[in-house]
Structure formats: structure tokens, C-alpha cells
Amino acid sequence: MTLFKRKNKETKASACACNTGCPISKATEIKQEKEGCRKTVDGICCIKVLGAGCKNCHALLEATQEAVHSMGFTVEVEYVTDMEKIMQYGVMSMPALVVNEQVVSMGKVLKPKEVETLLKKLI
């Protein structure tokens, strides 16, 4: 068994949902412009739940809708089940949550309070 020591160095917070340090690229900005995603007054233009239609995907959809309603946002939560569209986001596990055309969570069912926390960070 080989052990590796990690040097103490400052790391920046990850920009992507996988938390592996992926950089933010211009591709996100370009995609938002092409798809007409313009931020509204509350800072959120679109929210999507990506899923295959399973119980967990519906649970994330309901939690997201509840969080959006309790925060008083005017944006509608879209539920995407088309696998071709889901693949365009590069999501490897579902359900996934997309805010302003950026994947912010994947592979877990968030509670409404967790969704609220994510949305507050993005405003």
C-alpha cells in the first residue's frame, strides 16, 4: 500500500458541481447568451431538474419547486427528461439541478433548505 502526502497549499473553491477544481470557462457564458438565459431581478433566469422520471428525480423537482416558492422567485422550474438534452450538460448521475444553465448539483436528492442555500449563493 502506498501513501501519498498532500502539500498544504491554498485551493480555490470549485466552479463546477463535481468539486474537482474544474475552471469556469467562457463556454457557460456563451451558452447562456445563445439560449437567451438572461438573469432576472432575483438573479436567476432558469432552473431545471434533469432526470429520467424516477422517484428521486421527482423528489428533487418537488424540493426545488418548494424552495423557489418559499423564496418568492418568479421563475418556473423546468423538468427535463430528454436524454439528449441531459447529455449536453455533461451530467453523469441523476437527478441533477441546473441553475442559469450551470450544473450546481448532481447525483443526490436535495432537501428544500439545501436548494435554498444553493440558490442564495448564486444570487
Side-chain angles (χ1 to χ4, degrees):
M1 175 162 58
T2 307
L3 297 175
F4 296 98
K5 289 186 178 180
R6 200 180 254 192
K7 292 182 180 180
N8 290 338
K9 61 181 179 178
E10 190 176 323
T11 58
K12 293 182 179 179
S14 177
C16 75
C18 67
N19 293 323
T20 58
C22 301
I24 296 177
S25 67
K26 286 283 185 186
T28 303
E29 294 172 21
I30 293 168
K31 186 175 182 180
Q32 288 177 353
E33 289 174 11
K34 283 183 180 178
E35 295 189 13
C37 185
R38 301 280 183 238
K39 291 186 179 180
T40 61
V41 175
D42 36 5
I44 307 290
C45 69
C46 55
I47 300 174
K48 298 176 184 176
V49 173
L50 311 179
C54 66
K55 180 179 82 168
N56 287 340
C57 299
H58 283 285
L60 179 61
L61 176 64
E62 290 174 12
T64 304
Q65 289 172 332
E66 185 178 326
V68 167
H69 178 71
S70 68
M71 293 178 77
F73 288 167
T74 57
V75 66
E76 185 176 327
V77 180
E78 183 181 347
Y79 186 47
V80 179
T81 57
D82 183 358
M83 284 301 165
E84 286 185 28
K85 289 181 182 178
I86 292 172
M87 288 173 48
Q88 291 175 352
Y89 288 98
V91 171
M92 294 297 166
S93 58
M94 292 181 274
L97 182 62
V98 176
V99 179
N100 292 345
E101 296 303 322
Q102 183 176 6
V103 178
V104 295
S105 172
M106 68 176 137
K108 56 185 168 179
V109 179
L110 302 172
K111 293 180 171 89
K113 289 291 180 189
E114 294 171 317
V115 175
E116 281 185 39
T117 303
L118 273 175
L119 294 176
K120 286 177 184 176
K121 288 179 182 178
L122 297 171
I123 298 176

